[in-house]
Amino acid sequence: MESLSGKTAVVTGAASGMGLAFAQRFARAGMKVVLADVEAPKLDEAVATVTATGAEAIGVVTDVTDGAAIDRLRDAAIDAFGRVHVLCNNAGVAGSGPSGGNFVNEAEWRWVLEVNLWGVIHGHRAFLPHLVEHGDGHIVNTASMAGHFPGHSAYSASKWAVVAITEGLFHDPRLKAAGVGVSCLCPGWVNTAIMDSHRNRPEWAAPSHGVEATPMEEMMAAFVRDQIRSGMEPAAVADLVHDAILANRLWVFTDMQMVQALEPRFNAVLAAENPPERSFDS
Ligand SMILES: NC(=O)c1ccc[n+]([C@@H]2O[C@H](COP(=O)([O-])OP(=O)(O)OC[C@H]3O[C@@H](n4cnc5c(N)ncnc54)[C@H](O)[C@@H]3O)[C@@H](O)[C@H]2O)c1
């Protein structure tokens, strides 16, 4: 997109963390913003921070696991502002719940894939025809560096899938013909509330009773909490996203050291060799 001013952005997971920072950054760029989140009271506060700057914004309570709710979000955005130009499929959960030493905690996998992957799929289905029809649009999917490093977890699976479908979308001839851009945000550690994702865990995804974290899982969760606390500020990520939309850039990385750390794996893949011992987990 060549300019953002006067246009409309829809951001999911906008009540806190990176989504809120995107909404605020877009408002500063002169955009109208539709903030969507499953956490209603926090969403109201988030919308107030945007409208307090003089920008036009509305909040739409939306659970991204519900395709019909995403349709209603699109319709509410179009009703309010006429057209949607930028969509950020950003809502996500960490799902660092306990496995009880089992290989798969099914409730955990279902919940994380529903939010992190199906949230994005619903966003594509509901919004892409509209973006392609008017042709002045850009879609930003929030993946993660966890979408590039292997990991036997629901989070890794969800983020690898988001990386794959976003890069696939980048090549889609219909988007290219219409001039609709695509970005894949792959943050490293960012200082947000992601490790408290269980605050939004629905009843249907309640963890199995009596399942406890293994000592390794407890250690890993403490490590990740520490990294996130000292991570990048969401506003800095929002600047990168804003610039990537204007530059029509696919990859938005926040930590180039993490990107460099991919090299041994790629080399092993190219040589069809077993992967090297891991020095990084995300
Ligand atoms: N923080 C990090 O270090 C980091 C790193 C890589 C990727 N990410 C990704 O960034 C995105 C944003 O997360 P964040 O770090 O800002 O965390 P956050 O918890 O501050 O924000 C996530 C938002 O998503 C919302 N949400 C959760 N489930 C939802 C649902 N079903 N429907 C609608 N909204 C829902 C939450 O209410 C919250 O406002 C996520 O996709 C996350 O996986 C975060």
Side-chain angles (χ1 to χ4, degrees), residues 12-20 22 36-39 42 62-66 89-94 111 114-116 142-146 155 158-159 185-197 199-202 224 227-228 231-232 234:
T12 69
S16 77
M18 279 184 260
L20 174 55
F22 299 168
D37 205 285
V38 77
E39 264 194 299
K42 285 199 73 180
T62 309
D63 180 345
V64 298
T65 69
D66 177 356
N89 283 314
N90 167 76
V93 292
W111 175 48
E114 284 284 341
V115 180
N116 294 5
T142 303
S144 169
M145 285 311 292
Y155 191 76
S158 68
K159 296 302 186 179
L185 170 62
C186 302
W189 308 116
V190 184
N191 186 12
T192 70
I194 190 78
M195 286 302 278
D196 299 320
S197 295
R199 69 191 187 275
N200 293 312
R201 192 166 179 141
V224 172
Q227 297 298 314
I228 283 176
M232 195 168 176

Side-chain angles (χ1 to χ4, degrees), residues 57-223:
I58 59 167
V60 182
V61 176
T62 309
D63 180 345
V64 298
T65 69
D66 177 356
I70 302 273
D71 288 339
R72 289 194 294 275
L73 171 63
R74 177 204 54 218
D75 294 346
I78 292 172
D79 278 354
F81 299 126
R83 263 182 190 174
V84 174
H85 302 84
V86 172
L87 169 68
C88 295
N89 283 314
N90 167 76
V93 292
S96 53
S99 70
N102 295 317
F103 286 106
V104 170
N105 175 336
E106 197 172 323
E108 189 82 13
W109 277 73
R110 288 195 188 283
W111 175 48
V112 172
L113 289 172
E114 284 284 341
V115 180
N116 294 5
L117 176 56
W118 273 99
V120 175
I121 296 169
H122 291 313
H124 288 183
R125 180 192 49 70
F127 283 86
L128 281 177
H130 172 69
L131 295 188
V132 166
E133 191 186 312
H134 71 70
D136 183 21
H138 198 99
I139 184 160
V140 181
N141 289 336
T142 303
S144 169
M145 285 311 292
H148 295 277
F149 289 94
H152 185 264
S153 72
Y155 191 76
S156 289
S158 68
K159 296 302 186 179
W160 275 65
V162 171
V163 167
I165 63 177
T166 309
E167 190 172 345
L169 202 58
F170 180 82
H171 295 293
D172 190 296
R174 292 163 296 182
L175 271 71
K176 280 203 191 301
V180 173
V182 180
S183 293
C184 186
L185 170 62
C186 302
W189 308 116
V190 184
N191 186 12
T192 70
I194 190 78
M195 286 302 278
D196 299 320
S197 295
H198 50 81
R199 69 191 187 275
N200 293 312
R201 192 166 179 141
E203 199 52 43
W204 61 261
S208 319
H209 225 53
V211 175
E212 290 191 359
T214 61
M216 177 59 105
E217 283 170 341
E218 273 176 8
M219 215 177 71
M220 199 58 206
F223 169 76

Side-chain angles (χ1 to χ4, degrees), residues 225-262:
R225 248 178 218 289
D226 259 13
Q227 297 298 314
I228 283 176
R229 245 194 310 267
S230 55
M232 195 168 176
E233 285 308 313
V237 182
D239 284 338
L240 295 175
V241 167
H242 166 272
D243 295 352
I245 295 170
L246 290 174
N248 194 18
R249 195 178 307 124
L250 174 64
W251 298 118
V252 188
F253 292 116
T254 67
D255 183 337
M256 288 311 289
Q257 259 185 320
M258 280 193 188
V259 177
Q260 294 306 323
L262 293 168

